[in-house]
Amino acid sequence: MLSALTPATAPGKRPPAADRVYAHVKQAVLDRRYEGGTLLTEGHLAEVTGVSRTPVREALLRLEAEGLLKLYPKKGALVLPVSAQEIRDVVETRLLVEEHAARKAVPASPRLVERLEELLGEQRRHAAAGDLPAFSASDRCFHAEIVRSAGNLILERLYDQLRDRQLRMGVAVMHAHPDRIAKNIAEHTEILRALRSGDADAAAGAVGRHIGRVRELAGGDPR
């Protein structure tokens, strides 16, 4: 299966050097192996990825354009921390999109219910294994399935633009508040129950409460 961070290549052919560096750095930033505030040097990245410095520079420029890094000539690239403003902006956008999508998803199709049940099973397995990046990715997929089921391609594309920020924020929150893993599963179960029951108001309310927890945690309220 191809990584979501690297473009498709012909069978047996390695991706271009810049793409390999890009995928390595981006994944490490998203799962917090490279945390906010870390200064990455071209020499280090060239060594760990087995390429020259030229493709490293190209990859870092792409990541700076995506807002994950800040380049400093002759020093390296600083991994930008997730700011409180970014969290507020992402939460606000998620609430607008996901509460609407939850209402539109009712009555939930058998395919949607089956897929959400499958993702809940994945989340329980990742939680048991302590794999926070995988849990966060499955968490994000759970919400994306509901948005996709609403049938609005414009909202779906808008939501997809939040993907990297959601993954990074999800891992950060769970590192800071490990109890959120079990709470996330319980809240996802509540969302699925509301969708299955055909209650649009209950589904939107469950989604709103769940996403609102992120805002509370960002403000220092770990309820």
Side-chain angles (χ1 to χ4, degrees), residues 39-67:
L39 184 65
L40 306 173
T41 65
E42 291 182 3
H44 167 74
L45 294 176
E47 182 179 349
V48 299
T49 56
V51 303
S52 68
R53 295 196 179 202
T54 299
V56 170
R57 293 189 196 102
E58 181 182 333
L60 294 180
L61 284 169
R62 288 168 62 187
L63 291 163
E64 182 180 46
E66 293 180 13

mmCIF file of all heavy atoms in Angstrom, residues 39-67:
data_model
loop_
_atom_site.group_PDB
_atom_site.id
_atom_site.type_symbol
_atom_site.label_atom_id
_atom_site.label_comp_id
_atom_site.label_asym_id
_atom_site.label_seq_id
_atom_site.Cartn_x
_atom_site.Cartn_y
_atom_site.Cartn_z
ATOM 1 N N LEU A 39 15.242 22.015 15.765
ATOM 2 C CA LEU A 39 15.956 22.572 14.617
ATOM 3 C C LEU A 39 16.577 21.432 13.819
ATOM 4 O O LEU A 39 17.404 20.669 14.338
ATOM 5 C CB LEU A 39 17.053 23.539 15.078
ATOM 6 C CG LEU A 39 17.813 24.267 13.954
ATOM 7 C CD1 LEU A 39 16.871 25.198 13.195
ATOM 8 C CD2 LEU A 39 19.004 25.037 14.512
ATOM 9 N N LEU A 40 16.155 21.291 12.579
ATOM 10 C CA LEU A 40 16.653 20.242 11.692
ATOM 11 C C LEU A 40 17.721 20.811 10.774
ATOM 12 O O LEU A 40 17.530 21.878 10.197
ATOM 13 C CB LEU A 40 15.505 19.673 10.846
ATOM 14 C CG LEU A 40 14.284 19.168 11.612
ATOM 15 C CD1 LEU A 40 13.181 18.791 10.628
ATOM 16 C CD2 LEU A 40 14.648 17.976 12.490
ATOM 17 N N THR A 41 18.838 20.107 10.638
ATOM 18 C CA THR A 41 19.893 20.573 9.745
ATOM 19 C C THR A 41 19.882 19.765 8.457
ATOM 20 O O THR A 41 19.474 18.596 8.437
ATOM 21 C CB THR A 41 21.279 20.429 10.401
ATOM 22 O OG1 THR A 41 21.562 19.041 10.611
ATOM 23 C CG2 THR A 41 21.317 21.175 11.735
ATOM 24 N N GLU A 42 20.324 20.406 7.385
ATOM 25 C CA GLU A 42 20.384 19.714 6.097
ATOM 26 C C GLU A 42 21.298 18.506 6.178
ATOM 27 O O GLU A 42 21.010 17.448 5.614
ATOM 28 C CB GLU A 42 20.865 20.667 5.008
ATOM 29 C CG GLU A 42 19.870 21.765 4.660
ATOM 30 C CD GLU A 42 20.381 22.657 3.547
ATOM 31 O OE1 GLU A 42 21.480 22.385 3.016
ATOM 32 O OE2 GLU A 42 19.674 23.628 3.189
ATOM 33 N N GLY A 43 22.424 18.659 6.871
ATOM 34 C CA GLY A 43 23.376 17.559 6.976
ATOM 35 C C GLY A 43 22.772 16.343 7.661
ATOM 36 O O GLY A 43 22.960 15.202 7.211
ATOM 37 N N HIS A 44 22.051 16.567 8.748
ATOM 38 C CA HIS A 44 21.424 15.453 9.471
ATOM 39 C C HIS A 44 20.391 14.750 8.602
ATOM 40 O O HIS A 44 20.372 13.509 8.516
ATOM 41 C CB HIS A 44 20.758 15.971 10.743
ATOM 42 C CG HIS A 44 19.840 14.983 11.391
ATOM 43 N ND1 HIS A 44 20.294 13.890 12.087
ATOM 44 C CD2 HIS A 44 18.468 14.917 11.420
ATOM 45 C CE1 HIS A 44 19.267 13.190 12.530
ATOM 46 N NE2 HIS A 44 18.154 13.790 12.139
ATOM 47 N N LEU A 45 19.557 15.531 7.941
ATOM 48 C CA LEU A 45 18.513 14.931 7.114
ATOM 49 C C LEU A 45 19.096 14.197 5.914
ATOM 50 O O LEU A 45 18.588 13.148 5.509
ATOM 51 C CB LEU A 45 17.526 16.004 6.658
ATOM 52 C CG LEU A 45 16.700 16.645 7.777
ATOM 53 C CD1 LEU A 45 15.835 17.774 7.214
ATOM 54 C CD2 LEU A 45 15.826 15.612 8.480
ATOM 55 N N ALA A 46 20.164 14.749 5.335
ATOM 56 C CA ALA A 46 20.822 14.071 4.219
ATOM 57 C C ALA A 46 21.378 12.729 4.674
ATOM 58 O O ALA A 46 21.284 11.717 3.963
ATOM 59 C CB ALA A 46 21.944 14.951 3.660
ATOM 60 N N GLU A 47 21.922 12.695 5.894
ATOM 61 C CA GLU A 47 22.513 11.459 6.417
ATOM 62 C C GLU A 47 21.444 10.402 6.696
ATOM 63 O O GLU A 47 21.587 9.241 6.304
ATOM 64 C CB GLU A 47 23.288 11.754 7.699
ATOM 65 C CG GLU A 47 23.969 10.533 8.295
ATOM 66 C CD GLU A 47 24.756 10.877 9.546
ATOM 67 O OE1 GLU A 47 24.951 12.077 9.829
ATOM 68 O OE2 GLU A 47 25.169 9.929 10.243
ATOM 69 N N VAL A 48 20.345 10.789 7.359
ATOM 70 C CA VAL A 48 19.338 9.790 7.754
ATOM 71 C C VAL A 48 18.513 9.296 6.571
ATOM 72 O O VAL A 48 17.955 8.190 6.623
ATOM 73 C CB VAL A 48 18.393 10.329 8.855
ATOM 74 C CG1 VAL A 48 19.173 10.679 10.105
ATOM 75 C CG2 VAL A 48 17.586 11.510 8.371
ATOM 76 N N THR A 49 18.442 10.093 5.503
ATOM 77 C CA THR A 49 17.665 9.666 4.335
ATOM 78 C C THR A 49 18.541 9.150 3.200
ATOM 79 O O THR A 49 18.028 8.645 2.195
ATOM 80 C CB THR A 49 16.789 10.819 3.807
ATOM 81 O OG1 THR A 49 17.624 11.953 3.513
ATOM 82 C CG2 THR A 49 15.735 11.212 4.828
ATOM 83 N N GLY A 50 19.860 9.297 3.325
ATOM 84 C CA GLY A 50 20.779 8.772 2.324
ATOM 85 C C GLY A 50 20.765 9.507 1.002
ATOM 86 O O GLY A 50 20.894 8.891 -0.063
ATOM 87 N N VAL A 51 20.615 10.837 1.072
ATOM 88 C CA VAL A 51 20.604 11.642 -0.152
ATOM 89 C C VAL A 51 21.575 12.801 0.007
ATOM 90 O O VAL A 51 22.141 13.020 1.070
ATOM 91 C CB VAL A 51 19.187 12.182 -0.460
ATOM 92 C CG1 VAL A 51 18.179 11.035 -0.577
ATOM 93 C CG2 VAL A 51 18.737 13.175 0.610
ATOM 94 N N SER A 52 21.741 13.573 -1.083
ATOM 95 C CA SER A 52 22.585 14.767 -1.015
ATOM 96 C C SER A 52 21.779 15.922 -0.434
ATOM 97 O O SER A 52 20.577 15.815 -0.201
ATOM 98 C CB SER A 52 23.101 15.131 -2.405
ATOM 99 O OG SER A 52 22.030 15.568 -3.216
ATOM 100 N N ARG A 53 22.429 17.062 -0.235
ATOM 101 C CA ARG A 53 21.740 18.202 0.377
ATOM 102 C C ARG A 53 20.755 18.899 -0.562
ATOM 103 O O ARG A 53 19.821 19.541 -0.099
ATOM 104 C CB ARG A 53 22.767 19.220 0.895
ATOM 105 C CG ARG A 53 23.615 18.679 2.032
ATOM 106 C CD ARG A 53 24.328 19.780 2.768
ATOM 107 N NE ARG A 53 25.123 19.257 3.871
ATOM 108 C CZ ARG A 53 25.511 19.965 4.918
ATOM 109 N NH1 ARG A 53 25.170 21.245 4.997
ATOM 110 N NH2 ARG A 53 26.230 19.437 5.876
ATOM 111 N N THR A 54 20.959 18.772 -1.856
ATOM 112 C CA THR A 54 20.071 19.462 -2.798
ATOM 113 C C THR A 54 18.621 18.999 -2.670
ATOM 114 O O THR A 54 17.711 19.832 -2.544
ATOM 115 C CB THR A 54 20.575 19.295 -4.242
ATOM 116 O OG1 THR A 54 21.879 19.878 -4.353
ATOM 117 C CG2 THR A 54 19.629 19.968 -5.228
ATOM 118 N N PRO A 55 18.334 17.691 -2.709
ATOM 119 C CA PRO A 55 16.937 17.276 -2.523
ATOM 120 C C PRO A 55 16.409 17.584 -1.125
ATOM 121 O O PRO A 55 15.198 17.771 -0.949
ATOM 122 C CB PRO A 55 16.958 15.769 -2.790
ATOM 123 C CG PRO A 55 18.382 15.366 -2.659
ATOM 124 C CD PRO A 55 19.187 16.548 -3.070
ATOM 125 N N VAL A 56 17.301 17.660 -0.124
ATOM 126 C CA VAL A 56 16.861 18.042 1.223
ATOM 127 C C VAL A 56 16.313 19.459 1.199
ATOM 128 O O VAL A 56 15.243 19.740 1.749
ATOM 129 C CB VAL A 56 18.018 17.931 2.235
ATOM 130 C CG1 VAL A 56 17.629 18.560 3.577
ATOM 131 C CG2 VAL A 56 18.402 16.471 2.446
ATOM 132 N N ARG A 57 17.035 20.369 0.552
ATOM 133 C CA ARG A 57 16.569 21.762 0.467
ATOM 134 C C ARG A 57 15.217 21.841 -0.236
ATOM 135 O O ARG A 57 14.314 22.587 0.182
ATOM 136 C CB ARG A 57 17.595 22.620 -0.289
ATOM 137 C CG ARG A 57 18.910 22.793 0.447
ATOM 138 C CD ARG A 57 19.798 23.829 -0.230
ATOM 139 N NE ARG A 57 21.167 23.711 0.264
ATOM 140 C CZ ARG A 57 22.159 23.133 -0.396
ATOM 141 N NH1 ARG A 57 21.938 22.625 -1.611
ATOM 142 N NH2 ARG A 57 23.358 23.071 0.124
ATOM 143 N N GLU A 58 15.061 21.085 -1.324
ATOM 144 C CA GLU A 58 13.799 21.088 -2.071
ATOM 145 C C GLU A 58 12.644 20.610 -1.186
ATOM 146 O O GLU A 58 11.561 21.211 -1.169
ATOM 147 C CB GLU A 58 13.929 20.182 -3.299
ATOM 148 C CG GLU A 58 12.678 20.141 -4.158
ATOM 149 C CD GLU A 58 12.827 19.193 -5.338
ATOM 150 O OE1 GLU A 58 13.974 18.966 -5.797
ATOM 151 O OE2 GLU A 58 11.783 18.678 -5.798
ATOM 152 N N ALA A 59 12.880 19.548 -0.433
ATOM 153 C CA ALA A 59 11.834 19.013 0.444
ATOM 154 C C ALA A 59 11.482 20.001 1.550
ATOM 155 O O ALA A 59 10.303 20.188 1.878
ATOM 156 C CB ALA A 59 12.300 17.688 1.058
ATOM 157 N N LEU A 60 12.490 20.655 2.118
ATOM 158 C CA LEU A 60 12.242 21.603 3.202
ATOM 159 C C LEU A 60 11.456 22.816 2.711
ATOM 160 O O LEU A 60 10.608 23.356 3.437
ATOM 161 C CB LEU A 60 13.563 22.045 3.835
ATOM 162 C CG LEU A 60 14.345 20.956 4.578
ATOM 163 C CD1 LEU A 60 15.639 21.531 5.162
ATOM 164 C CD2 LEU A 60 13.501 20.329 5.686
ATOM 165 N N LEU A 61 11.710 23.238 1.491
ATOM 166 C CA LEU A 61 10.940 24.353 0.925
ATOM 167 C C LEU A 61 9.465 23.990 0.786
ATOM 168 O O LEU A 61 8.581 24.803 1.059
ATOM 169 C CB LEU A 61 11.526 24.752 -0.435
ATOM 170 C CG LEU A 61 12.821 25.559 -0.406
ATOM 171 C CD1 LEU A 61 13.427 25.646 -1.806
ATOM 172 C CD2 LEU A 61 12.575 26.957 0.152
ATOM 173 N N ARG A 62 9.199 22.751 0.374
ATOM 174 C CA ARG A 62 7.809 22.298 0.260
ATOM 175 C C ARG A 62 7.126 22.283 1.626
ATOM 176 O O ARG A 62 5.964 22.696 1.767
ATOM 177 C CB ARG A 62 7.771 20.902 -0.363
ATOM 178 C CG ARG A 62 8.106 20.863 -1.836
ATOM 179 C CD ARG A 62 8.342 19.448 -2.322
ATOM 180 N NE ARG A 62 7.164 18.595 -2.180
ATOM 181 C CZ ARG A 62 7.176 17.294 -2.417
ATOM 182 N NH1 ARG A 62 8.310 16.691 -2.791
ATOM 183 N NH2 ARG A 62 6.077 16.579 -2.287
ATOM 184 N N LEU A 63 7.848 21.826 2.630
ATOM 185 C CA LEU A 63 7.268 21.736 3.971
ATOM 186 C C LEU A 63 7.084 23.116 4.602
ATOM 187 O O LEU A 63 6.151 23.332 5.379
ATOM 188 C CB LEU A 63 8.146 20.851 4.848
ATOM 189 C CG LEU A 63 8.131 19.366 4.443
ATOM 190 C CD1 LEU A 63 9.299 18.627 5.062
ATOM 191 C CD2 LEU A 63 6.815 18.722 4.840
ATOM 192 N N GLU A 64 7.958 24.057 4.246
ATOM 193 C CA GLU A 64 7.777 25.429 4.730
ATOM 194 C C GLU A 64 6.509 26.021 4.103
ATOM 195 O O GLU A 64 5.734 26.709 4.782
ATOM 196 C CB GLU A 64 8.984 26.295 4.379
ATOM 197 C CG GLU A 64 8.846 27.726 4.926
ATOM 198 C CD GLU A 64 10.040 28.598 4.585
ATOM 199 O OE1 GLU A 64 10.468 28.576 3.407
ATOM 200 O OE2 GLU A 64 10.543 29.298 5.481
ATOM 201 N N ALA A 65 6.279 25.741 2.813
ATOM 202 C CA ALA A 65 5.081 26.249 2.141
ATOM 203 C C ALA A 65 3.811 25.688 2.768
ATOM 204 O O ALA A 65 2.754 26.332 2.733
ATOM 205 C CB ALA A 65 5.135 25.904 0.657
ATOM 206 N N GLU A 66 3.903 24.497 3.370
ATOM 207 C CA GLU A 66 2.745 23.881 4.022
ATOM 208 C C GLU A 66 2.580 24.349 5.465
ATOM 209 O O GLU A 66 1.630 23.944 6.142
ATOM 210 C CB GLU A 66 2.872 22.354 3.990
ATOM 211 C CG GLU A 66 2.786 21.786 2.587
ATOM 212 C CD GLU A 66 2.912 20.278 2.550
ATOM 213 O OE1 GLU A 66 2.820 19.642 3.633
ATOM 214 O OE2 GLU A 66 3.104 19.724 1.458
ATOM 215 N N GLY A 67 3.499 25.186 5.937
ATOM 216 C CA GLY A 67 3.367 25.736 7.273
ATOM 217 C C GLY A 67 3.863 24.853 8.400
ATOM 218 O O GLY A 67 3.583 25.121 9.573
#
